Amino acid sequence: MNYQKTILVTGGAGFIGSHVVRLLVNKYPAYRIINLDKLTYAGNLNNLSDVEHADNYAFVKGDITDAGFITSLFEEHRFDMVVHLAAESHVDRSIANPIEFVITNVVGTCVLLNAARNIWKDDYSGKRFYHISTDEVYGTLGESGLFTETTPYDPHSPYSASKASSDHFVRAYHDTYGMPVVISNCSNNYGSFQFPEKLIPLAINNIKNMKPIPVYGKGENVRDWLWVEDHARAIDVILHNGKNGDTYNIGGFNEWKNIDLIHLLCRIMDNKLQREPGTSAKLITYVTDRPGHDMRYAIDAQKLNRELGWKPSVDFEQGLEKTVEWYLANQHWLEQVTSGAYKQYYEQQYATN
Ligand code: NAD
Ligand code: DAU
């Protein structure tokens, strides 16, 4: 079949990437979607079992930092567009091992940019390099205010510093070589297929197993939560209609203090597991704070709404309930990803508490 476009999605076996691949494969049968993923601890092909046999989908195992391999992949497929999600994505792991974040997030992004430029440089028409980034590049907010697209960068963790650096390289390729790039910076995602080292799936898993729920510091840090499928829809809209060289902030208009979110989750879990009200909340355990822990993130996503018509579609309490239902119905997935290396990570991360 002659496909209208060939799109490379990097990190498509991860949490957000798998939702993006599913959306693109199902919505655009005339596009060929190639999912490139190294399958680190965070990548899991079971996240895509429902689309793995689709005619317009193919998986390639590989590393974005391997320049020779990436060059030949671009030569073979002559991608029209790249949607770049592959990254080391967990702040706590970046504190334990910053260099891995520099290599994957900074060097890996540059390797992809370079391969795209080499293939596209004689004719950029119809081409696009879309870099998926985070609100963490903006640093932390006080009690008021929101991050806009013009908020100065002020990253504090090795993770956010590596994402900020990769954003700068993407803009540099636009400004220096005229590459058609677009960037989005999104707030915290939640939903199905999220690896249980991040707050919501970790808490669901621990509550299910009657284990302590580790809350960092006083639990007063604020995050702005977005349903992952709403993020995937935003990515689709920006991929097709975003302006070259532009940045779009994506967020849920949905701020929660960690401790309030955990209490809501405990109530939902008590209800779903038919436990006595208050049972799960007894598991809340305050533990040593994350070093350099940003206090508050909140996104102003009005530009995306005004210019491209996107807005979040899922109410947080309903989304959280659906997320809990998904994890309880997919015990096998959870058991599979929490076996082996997960146990070692968990013991090291929470050892001192
Ligand atoms: P994730 O950790 O679940 O998935 C990352 C994927 O990248 C995994 O499948 C992994 O195997 C793959 N990968 C890692 N290193 C690779 C390499 N060297 N080569 C090829 N593949 C590699 O991450 P996520 O939460 O789905 O985040 C995806 C992207 O979105 C990241 O760039 C992240 O910075 C960004 N982001 C995440 C959130 C969030 O709340 N999770 C919010 C905003 C932005
Ligand atoms: O804001 C977007 C970012 O959101 C993404 O760029 C990152 O890839 C993603 O991991 C996420 O980063 P956070 O650090 O905000 O997510 P995490 O789930 O790790 O933590 C959410 C909040 O909960 C944060 O304030 C730290 C706190 N926390 C986290 C864990 C894992 C706890 O209190 N206890 C925990 O055990």
Side-chain angles (χ1 to χ4, degrees):
M1 167 154 177
N2 259 348
Y3 288 100
Q4 231 175 60
K5 286 184 200 305
T6 302
I7 300 189
L8 173 67
V9 179
T10 70
F15 166 48
I16 302 171
S18 60
H19 285 280
V20 171
V21 166
R22 180 174 300 104
L23 183 154
L24 294 176
V25 166
N26 289 331
K27 186 170 173 187
Y28 301 103
Y31 292 2
R32 181 152 169 77
I33 310 299
I34 311 280
N35 171 15
L36 166 68
D37 200 295
K38 183 180 170 185
L39 300 181
T40 66
Y41 76 93
N44 185 351
L45 286 179
N46 290 335
N47 297 1
L48 287 165
S49 52
D50 55 334
V51 294
E52 69 186 356
H53 299 299
D55 290 340
N56 64 336
Y57 170 73
F59 172 71
V60 178
K61 186 170 189 292
D63 188 335
I64 56 167
T65 68
D66 181 344
F69 161 74
I70 293 293
T71 300
S72 42
L73 193 74
F74 273 75
E75 277 165 1
E76 181 186 346
H77 293 284
R78 324 255 354 148
F79 303 111
D80 298 290
M81 292 176 164
V82 177
V83 185
H84 174 38
L85 297 110
E88 287 294 336
S89 72
H90 187 34
V91 174
D92 293 327
R93 285 185 189 254
S94 82
I95 294 167
N97 187 359
I99 301 301
E100 207 174 319
F101 283 66
V102 177
I103 294 170
T104 299
N105 298 356
V106 186
V107 177
T109 301
C110 292
V111 166
L112 288 167
L113 282 166
N114 226 41
R117 175 177 168 250
N118 284 337
I119 290 280
W120 295 344
K121 63 183 176 213
D122 294 331
D123 183 10
Y124 282 139
S125 56
K127 305 294 188 281
R128 168 147 283 182
F129 189 101
Y130 181 2
H131 178 62
I132 309 301
S133 193
T134 171
D135 60 358
E136 301 204 9
V137 299
Y138 299 124
T140 187
L141 291 162
E143 281 184 11
S144 62
L146 300 170
F147 295 134
T148 70
E149 288 80 2
T150 55
T151 302
Y153 276 29
D154 183 22
H156 298 127
S157 73
Y159 164 68
S160 53
S162 70
K163 291 297 289 187
S165 171
S166 64
D167 291 10
H168 289 318
F169 271 103
V170 174
R171 290 199 183 94
Y173 269 67
H174 173 264
D175 296 350
T176 307
Y177 306 116
M179 277 252 302
V181 307
V182 66
I183 300 179
S184 58
N185 296 80
C186 188
S187 62
N188 288 62
N189 286 215
Y190 72 100
S192 55
F193 298 112
Q194 186 168 32
F195 193 79
E197 64 183 1
K198 307 282 173 76
L199 181 65
I200 290 179
L202 183 139
I204 292 173
N205 192 29
N206 284 15
I207 295 170
K208 181 169 75 66
N209 296 310
M210 288 299 284
K211 282 173 54 184
I213 310 164
V215 173
Y216 294 163
K218 295 185 178 148
E220 305 231 304
N221 304 66
V222 174
R223 296 293 182 265
D224 171 359
W225 293 93
L226 177 69
W227 177 243
V228 63
E229 292 173 44
D230 276 336
H231 188 188
R233 274 197 310 110
I235 289 174
D236 176 27
V237 167
I238 294 166
L239 178 69
H240 287 93
N241 303 318
K243 241 172 67 194
N244 276 339
D246 257 24
T247 293
Y248 298 88
N249 279 358
I250 311 173
F253 300 102
N254 177 41
E255 292 181 51
W256 284 78
K257 268 189 191 163
N258 291 340
I259 191 64
D260 295 341
L261 185 160
I262 291 297
H263 275 292
L264 170 61
L265 194 56
C266 287
R267 287 197 294 277
I268 295 174
M269 291 290 284
D270 282 346
N271 184 273
K272 296 286 168 201
L273 296 170
Q274 298 177 336
R275 289 179 179 163
E276 188 72 23
T279 308
S280 301
K282 290 199 187 111
L283 299 169
I284 293 174
T285 308
Y286 292 95
V287 300
T288 311
D289 207 353
R290 173 185 279 174
H293 196 175
D294 287 332
M295 184 45 88
R296 176 172 165 257
Y297 302 148
I299 279 277
D300 180 348
Q302 286 187 74
K303 173 178 172 183
L304 183 55
N305 177 251
R306 198 175 53 245
E307 295 188 9
L308 304 182
W310 176 91
K311 59 176 194 234
S313 73
V314 173
D315 166 78
F316 184 60
E317 300 203 12
Q318 285 170 7
L320 200 56
E321 201 171 322
K322 279 207 306 205
T323 304
V324 167
E325 284 164 4
W326 186 87
Y327 280 93
L328 294 179
N330 287 276
Q331 309 260 7
H332 180 64
W333 183 91
L334 202 52
E335 277 157 23
Q336 194 198 22
V337 300
T338 52
S339 64
Y342 179 82
K343 291 204 177 83
Q344 201 190 341
Y345 161 79
Y346 195 91
E347 274 157 25
Q348 268 167 14
Q349 175 62 20
Y350 298 100
T352 52
N353 294 287

